[in-house]
């Protein structure tokens, strides 16, 4: 499907000034609805003015390609990510320019396909441990699937990328939740609330930031004391990169920043995707049946191996469809460094520019029945005429997610392992509510009962 662009050289349309109070309410309470309604009512380019701030939402694959790839040098990280610097520092998620390029060069080799393939057995082992933990709850009290997915993804992250056990740091998941909450609070309040105010949210944030810094410092110190000969994991590479810096103090801080960022990005997005997957499977038992059948046929009684990634085709399609409806990175915020024209629309220097995978993935011009959960749309026969930038669950352009291959491997192995052995059933009456923070997660928890497949 395609849609013809109309080129204009004017300010994009948008909600009138009298809508400011309603926009503020949605900014605080329902950011997904804010973006969705703006695109539905005003088109593929929207100017959303809220008080002194104006956001430019571009919701067309061609516009996304221009901002994220063709002219990416003009668009630095924006709303939410800028506020995250107080906790994450200048890690790969928030840094710019030469520093970002150096960090990317340091980290990227760890995510090469050959190395990820060698780590597949670790992912399969962690998936097996998850199944065992869930099976212990069979016919018992409901288990919080979100908590289980966080434990799983931290386990995979620690063993595959850091060669360490992150299970000993049981507060890491809660600390990142507090960091996200604070970053989004600062973004939606436009930094008008002083950070020194003794609010409960501020206190939780400071405690979480201190905890994350302590975890990162401890991991780096342990590896410095006990280096692993021939190792090529993230800790080893960060320490080697820091040793090349002329300023030891700055180098140590940057290594910590990069590690904290990796801990967040390495577990949060996949945990969110898996949570949404099991919530959707509960509502679509026919999809669960097909997943179960494929897992039994491909895997039999053995754990998955790397070659199975290309055999579990329906499972992969389910993961892709989950990320279409609920992309873990639902917002790609940027700040225009210089005045520009996007699709014929004027964008002033300093403007907040937004590309939202959430709204792009539900654009009716590019997706039939966009709100329907339909993994078959990712059958290769159904994807030939879809624009490349209509689907960007891992971002796009130079900042394309470096961990996409590990994330897909992890999600496919976990869903196949769980659906082969078990069926998870949501607690009746519990309402699954999306929460659009730095990632698009399920609010609070996901209580599910465990049944034998």
């Amino acid at each position: 499907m395609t849609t013809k662009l109309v080129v204009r050289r004017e300010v994009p349309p948008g909600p009138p000034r009298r809508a400011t109070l309603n926009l503020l309410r949605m900014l605080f309470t329902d950011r997904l609805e804010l973006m969705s309604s703006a695109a539905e009512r005003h088109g593929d380019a929207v100017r959303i003015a809220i008080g002194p701030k104006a956001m430019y939402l571009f919701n067309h694959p061609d516009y996304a390609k221009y901002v994220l790839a063709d002219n990416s040098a003009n668009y630095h990280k924006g709303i939410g990510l800028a506020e995250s610097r107080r906790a994450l520092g200048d890690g790969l998620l928030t840094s710019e320019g030469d520093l970002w390029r150096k960090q990317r060069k340091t980290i990227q080799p760890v995510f090469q396909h050959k190395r990820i393939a060698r780590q597949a057995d670790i992912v399969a082992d962690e998936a097996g441990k998850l199944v065992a933990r869930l099976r212990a709850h069979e016919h018992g009290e409901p288990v919080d699937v979100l908590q289980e997915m966080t434990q799983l993804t931290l386990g995979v992250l620690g063993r595959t990328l850091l060669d360490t056990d992150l299970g000993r740091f049981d507060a890491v998941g809660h600390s990142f939740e507090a960091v996200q909450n604070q970053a989004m609070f600062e973004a939606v309040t436009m930094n008008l609330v002083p950070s020194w105010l003794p609010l409960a949210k501020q206190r939780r944030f400071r405690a979480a930031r201190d905890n994350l810094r302590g975890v990162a410092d401890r991991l780096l110190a342990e590896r410095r004391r006990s280096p692993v000969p021939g190792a090529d994991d993230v800790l080893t590479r960060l320490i080697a990169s820091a040793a090349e810096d002329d300023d030891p103090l700055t180098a140590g801080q940057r290594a910590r920043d990069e590690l904290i960022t990796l801990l967040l990005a390495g577990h949060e997005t996949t945990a969110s995707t898996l949570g949404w997957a099991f919530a959707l499977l509960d509502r679509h038992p026919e999809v669960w049946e097909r997943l179960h059948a494929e897992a039994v046929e491909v895997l039999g009684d053995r754990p998955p191996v790397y070659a199975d990634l290309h055999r579990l085709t329906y499972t992969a399609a389910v993961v892709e469809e989950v990320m279409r409806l609920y992309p873990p990175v639902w917002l790609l915020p940027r700040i225009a460094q210089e005045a520009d024209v996007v699709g014929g629309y004027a964008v002033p220097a300093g403007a907040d520019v937004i590309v939202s995978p959430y709204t792009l993935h539900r654009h009716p011009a590019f997706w039939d029945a966009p709100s329907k959960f339909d993994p078959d749309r990712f059958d290769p026969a159904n994807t030939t005429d879809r624009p490349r930038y209509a689907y960007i669950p891992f971002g796009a352009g130079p900042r394309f997610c470096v961990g996409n291959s590990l994330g897909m491997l992890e999600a496919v192995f976990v869903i196949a392992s769980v659906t082969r052995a078990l069926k998870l059933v949501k607690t009746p009456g519990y309402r699954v509510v999306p929460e659009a923070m730095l990632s698009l997660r399920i609010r609070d928890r996901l209580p599910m009962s465990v049944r034998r497949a």
Side-chain angles (χ1 to χ4, degrees):
M1 291 174 285
T2 59
T3 183
K4 185 178 180 180
L5 293 176
V6 179
V7 177
R8 303 180 179 87
R9 294 188 179 276
E10 58 188 39
V11 176
R17 284 288 179 181
R18 63 178 181 273
T20 297
L21 289 179
N22 189 47
L23 294 174
L24 276 172
R25 178 190 61 80
M26 287 193 289
L27 186 63
F28 274 91
T29 64
D30 198 343
R31 289 176 280 277
L32 296 178
E33 176 59 22
L34 174 62
M35 298 300 160
S36 299
S37 61
E40 290 169 5
R41 295 173 186 174
H42 302 286
D44 293 341
V46 187
R47 182 177 183 273
I48 306 171
I50 304 178
K53 184 177 286 290
M55 298 181 290
Y56 290 72
L57 171 65
F58 290 104
N59 193 49
H60 188 284
D62 290 354
Y63 299 163
K65 179 176 182 292
Y66 180 80
V67 170
L68 301 176
D70 296 344
N71 197 27
S72 61
N74 189 49
Y75 295 95
H76 289 188
K77 288 298 183 78
I79 298 172
L81 295 176
E83 286 76 12
S84 299
R85 278 195 175 94
R86 278 218 294 142
L88 303 180
D90 282 316
L92 195 62
L93 192 65
T94 56
S95 61
E96 300 286 353
D98 291 340
L99 175 58
W100 173 80
R101 282 185 282 274
K102 178 182 178 181
Q103 291 170 335
R104 181 90 174 194
K105 184 179 179 180
T106 298
I107 296 297
Q108 191 156 3
V110 178
F111 292 94
Q112 290 177 342
H113 286 283
K114 290 182 179 179
R115 190 180 189 282
I116 296 301
R118 294 196 299 270
Q119 304 288 342
D121 289 347
I122 292 175
V123 179
D125 183 58
E126 290 294 329
K129 291 179 180 178
L130 169 68
V131 172
R133 291 197 304 270
L134 292 173
R135 185 172 278 140
H137 295 272
E138 191 175 331
H139 300 299
E141 291 297 314
V143 60
D144 182 1
V145 169
L146 297 186
Q147 183 176 329
E148 289 293 338
M149 295 308 134
T150 296
Q151 182 175 344
L152 164 93
T153 54
L154 284 172
V156 170
L157 172 64
R159 294 178 63 188
T160 59
L161 301 184
L162 306 176
D163 193 23
T164 192
D165 175 21
L166 291 177
R168 54 197 167 120
F169 305 114
D170 56 2
V172 166
H174 295 297
S175 293
F176 278 124
E177 184 176 345
V179 166
Q180 288 199 66
N181 290 345
Q182 181 64 21
M184 192 55 64
F185 173 75
E186 292 180 13
V188 299
T189 58
M190 305 176 199
N191 292 306
L192 296 176
V193 179
S195 61
W196 49 262
L197 283 178
L199 302 177
K201 186 186 296 289
Q202 304 273 31
R203 292 196 298 271
R204 285 194 295 271
F205 164 76
R206 285 189 284 270
R209 180 185 59 189
D210 292 345
N211 176 62
L212 293 173
R213 288 176 176 176
V215 169
D217 287 342
R218 180 174 170 184
L219 289 171
L220 290 164
E222 288 175 351
R223 182 54 57 86
R224 289 190 182 98
R225 286 196 303 268
S226 303
V228 180
D232 192 35
D233 56 45
V234 167
L235 288 173
T236 300
R237 295 187 69 84
L238 288 178
I239 291 170
S241 178
E244 299 172 359
D245 199 303
D246 294 334
D247 185 342
L249 182 62
T250 301
Q253 181 177 323
R254 286 179 179 170
R256 182 180 68 188
D257 291 348
E258 292 179 56
L259 182 53
I260 291 174
T261 298
L262 182 73
L263 289 171
L264 170 62
H267 90 276
E268 173 77 13
T269 53
T270 305
S272 295
T273 295
L274 288 168
W276 282 114
F278 290 111
L280 287 165
L281 291 179
D282 173 72
R283 286 158 43 189
H284 298 274
E286 73 285 358
V287 175
W288 181 90
E289 292 289 349
R290 288 180 64 179
L291 285 170
H292 173 75
E294 180 176 79
V296 169
E297 178 183 354
V298 172
L299 303 179
D301 294 327
R302 62 172 175 80
V305 297
Y306 186 72
D308 294 325
L309 190 61
H310 307 290
R311 301 186 186 112
L312 294 164
T313 54
Y314 186 68
T315 309
V318 167
V319 174
E320 290 182 291
E321 177 68 346
V322 170
M323 291 191 296
R324 183 188 70 84
L325 283 173
Y326 298 101
V329 181
W330 68 281
L331 197 70
L332 299 170
R334 298 291 187 266
I335 297 176
Q337 302 304 294
E338 297 180 2
D340 200 2
V341 176
V342 180
Y345 291 100
V347 175
D352 289 292
V353 174
I354 290 171
V355 174
S356 172
Y358 181 84
T359 56
L360 265 179
H361 293 180
R362 296 166 181 254
H363 197 309
F366 306 103
W367 303 94
D368 293 326
S371 297
K372 181 182 179 183
F373 179 59
D374 179 16
D376 284 325
R377 72 174 83 240
F378 283 96
D379 185 302
N382 299 329
T383 62
T384 54
D385 64 344
R386 187 176 302 134
R388 159 69 183 84
Y389 282 74
Y391 183 67
I392 51 173
F394 295 107
R399 286 186 176 269
F400 184 79
C401 176
V402 70
N404 66 304
S405 295
L406 178 60
M408 276 298 297
L409 174 70
E410 193 173 349
V412 169
F413 275 20
V414 168
I415 291 174
S417 298
V418 172
T419 57
R420 175 180 58 177
L422 305 168
K423 189 168 186 177
L424 305 181
V425 181
K426 181 176 67 67
T427 298
Y430 186 82
R431 185 165 170 256
V432 176
V433 179
E435 186 172 40
M437 305 300 282
L438 293 184
S439 64
L440 180 51
R441 63 195 190 192
I442 293 173
R443 180 178 297 168
D444 296 331
R445 59 195 183 95
L446 180 59
M448 304 190 84
S449 299
V450 181
R451 303 287 184 265
R452 189 181 300 272

